[in-house]
Amino acid sequence: AALTVRIEGRSPESREALSVLAGANAVAVETGAGWEVIQYRTAELVGGDVWRLTGLLRGQGGGEPEAEAGAVAGAAVVLLDDSLVELGPMQAEYGLPLLWRAGAGSAVPSGPFVTEVTHTLTGRAERAWRPVHPRVRSTDAGLALSWIPRTRVGGDRWDGEAVPVDPLRFRLRILDGDAERRAVEVAGMEWLYPDADRAEDFPGGCQAARFAVSQVSIHGIGGPEAVAPLC
């Protein structure tokens, strides 16, 4: 896998694997589903200001849906480094269309050297990550559905168990193809789907049945779903 980009004003650098695993060489790529964060290990100059980035770590920060959507030719790429200014906590503005202006420090806000755009914050960086290992186990009372959540902050520690950032609160959907048959809120990592409810939801059989589970973050932001066959 490779990412070919045109970069103006600076040159990307190749880094050692340990540096990349520690967070170096990150870029945000615009996709049809939002911004995917990608890290790269090797930067090779192709010609002019065009670079070929390889040794990729894709879908960083829980960005699997953006990685699956992919980017088209001509998509914007932003280098994520120390030159960026962090906005700070803005939870109160989530969901509100805000007017953003950027320009030189001495420029008049309404002048010709200032660019403005309307953008709505969604709290993308604070959404829960997609659960992993969705499983279905048959019991005498029905199907036991289970999954394992991921910790988006400090989840890669080696000394002891990571402290969960988000509550064990999940939204589970029973699907017939793309049609939703049932939706429940679950406080835990397992849910029993009784045989009687399954017969009610799928009177003609459950060949196309699936279940989808997503975690709700501490701020109430729903994360992407993990989907698995039900029967």
Side-chain angles (χ1 to χ4, degrees):
L3 181 67
T4 303
V5 297
R6 184 184 304 277
I7 301 176
E8 299 177 355
R10 59 162 298 179
S11 300
E13 299 178 358
S14 299
R15 302 290 292 270
E16 296 292 332
L18 288 179
S19 297
V20 175
L21 292 175
N25 282 5
V27 298
V29 180
E30 189 175 21
T31 76
W35 291 85
E36 177 193 358
V37 177
I38 297 176
Q39 290 179 262
Y40 63 92
R41 180 176 177 182
T42 304
E44 176 188 0
L45 182 61
V46 177
D49 52 4
V50 177
W51 294 79
R52 185 172 184 267
L53 310 181
T54 56
L56 305 182
L57 292 176
R58 298 197 57 189
Q60 297 294 78
E64 294 95 342
E66 291 78 14
E68 292 164 358
V72 299
V77 176
V78 178
L79 299 176
L80 303 180
D81 53 26
D82 295 337
S83 66
L84 297 179
V85 178
E86 185 175 354
L87 296 175
M90 298 186 68
Q91 287 89 351
E93 283 81 15
Y94 288 170
L96 300 177
L98 303 178
L99 181 63
W100 302 83
R101 290 190 176 101
S106 59
V108 178
S110 59
F113 301 105
V114 172
T115 300
E116 65 179 37
V117 63
T118 299
H119 178 70
T120 302
L121 295 176
T122 61
R124 157 69 176 79
E126 297 180 354
R127 75 182 183 189
W129 290 5
R130 175 186 287 170
V132 295
H133 302 301
R135 291 193 173 98
V136 180
R137 178 171 52 87
S138 296
T139 70
D140 295 337
L143 298 179
L145 313 182
S146 64
W147 53 89
I148 298 176
R150 294 190 291 166
T151 302
R152 57 185 172 86
V153 178
D156 55 353
R157 60 183 297 175
W158 290 87
D159 53 340
E161 294 292 330
V163 178
V165 177
D166 301 304
L168 294 181
R169 176 187 169 198
F170 302 88
R171 184 171 187 265
L172 187 143
R173 300 192 302 144
I174 302 298
L175 305 174
D176 186 1
D178 293 328
E180 181 180 286
R181 299 300 184 197
R182 188 178 296 266
V184 295
E185 291 280 340
V186 181
M189 295 180 289
E190 186 171 288
W191 181 71
L192 179 66
Y193 188 22
D195 290 332
D197 291 346
R198 181 156 55 108
E200 178 184 341
D201 295 339
F202 301 96
C206 60
Q207 290 79 5
R210 303 179 299 162
F211 82 95
V213 58
S214 61
Q215 188 172 10
V216 180
S217 76
I218 192 173
H219 300 297
I221 302 172
E225 293 179 321
V227 183
L230 190 61
C231 299

